[in-house]
Amino acid sequence: MKMIVGLGNPGRKYLDTRHNIGFVVLDWLEKQFAPPGGARRTKFEAEQLEVNVNGQRVLLIWPQTFMNLSGAAVQPARDFFKIADEDILIVCDDFSLPLGKLRFRAKGSSGGQKGLADVMKRLGTQTVSRLRIGIGAPHEHVDPADFVLSRFRSDEKDAVDKLVQRASEAAAEWVRSGVEACMNRWNADESGLGK
């Protein structure tokens, strides 16, 4: 079994904010791969759904702990289902990447993403695949914390819809082909939104 974790904050207050792009990508995967009648269940402080992606069992996880404590939902699920660290993908926002850019990494630091940092701390490893999704950068004099909790502008909507679809396709490819293949394909795409 593999696990894909979308990072975000629970509750209507945070719905569709830039910080919640990981949740939105998992919502898309749910629409594509959920079994008929399949419904999320709540376990280990997360919403969970098991899906089948090209013959592989995949556990989708939406932590309900708030971003900075995401590891509290991921670590017990990993241990309960006996999932290897290399079979986990974390999907999260990154304001250091242009809107629309995708970047896979197989290991390394959190790059300042506090949810990812908490996951790695609780898992006890930096060797966990991650898909960073570019949400654009805050303007000068805008607090990054305020920026990531803001919603996308109306003129960004088409770009964001395209981004979510591409990120979902990339996550599904990770299930099939692994992180190295995804790094070669998706990281090399400098076009961002496929202009």
Side-chain angles (χ1 to χ4, degrees):
M1 177 183 277
K2 295 182 185 290
M3 179 193 295
I4 302 178
V5 181
L7 299 188
N9 287 307
R12 295 186 61 79
K13 177 181 176 182
Y14 301 101
L15 194 65
D16 296 327
T17 58
R18 293 173 192 267
H19 222 16
N20 273 32
I21 197 79
F23 276 10
V24 178
V25 169
L26 257 66
D27 293 346
W28 181 275
L29 289 170
E30 177 182 29
K31 288 176 192 162
Q32 296 299 113
F33 298 107
R40 298 181 195 181
R41 64 182 178 176
T42 302
K43 189 170 187 174
F44 303 128
E45 297 187 81
E47 291 184 356
Q48 302 179 359
L49 178 67
E50 187 176 324
V51 299
N52 185 299
V53 179
N54 291 351
Q56 294 212 49
R57 291 171 65 209
V58 179
L59 186 67
L60 303 180
I61 291 193
W62 295 257
Q64 301 296 296
T65 55
F66 289 95
M67 177 68 77
N68 296 356
L69 300 174
S70 296
V74 178
Q75 178 259 319
R78 176 201 66 176
D79 295 349
F80 180 82
F81 291 102
K82 298 179 172 55
I83 298 173
D85 292 333
E86 59 267 23
D87 288 332
I88 299 172
L89 176 67
I90 309 298
V91 181
C92 61
D93 64 294
D94 189 333
F95 66 76
S96 66
L97 293 176
L99 179 65
K101 175 73 176 154
L102 301 178
R103 179 169 293 154
F104 276 95
R105 288 283 180 265
K107 59 185 176 181
S109 75
S110 67
Q113 216 288 355
K114 292 180 180 177
L116 179 58
D118 190 65
V119 169
M120 292 192 302
K121 176 184 172 187
R122 292 187 191 238
L123 294 183
T125 182
Q126 289 191 340
T127 306
V128 60
S129 298
R130 72 287 313 257
L131 170 56
R132 294 176 173 277
I133 301 175
I135 59 168
H139 294 298
E140 194 176 358
H141 308 303
V142 173
D143 183 342
D146 292 335
F147 177 74
V148 298
L149 294 177
S150 69
R151 288 177 169 76
F152 291 101
R153 301 187 312 267
S154 57
D155 63 313
E156 295 174 315
K157 185 181 184 320
D158 288 344
V160 172
D161 289 346
K162 203 183 289 188
L163 167 61
V164 169
Q165 182 173 350
R166 288 176 62 247
S168 303
E169 291 169 0
E173 184 174 336
W174 171 83
V175 173
R176 294 188 299 267
S177 307
V179 69
E180 296 294 335
C182 288
M183 286 168 62
N184 290 335
R185 176 179 175 190
W186 297 97
N187 294 5
D189 178 10
E190 295 297 336
S191 63
L193 296 168
K195 297 174 187 171

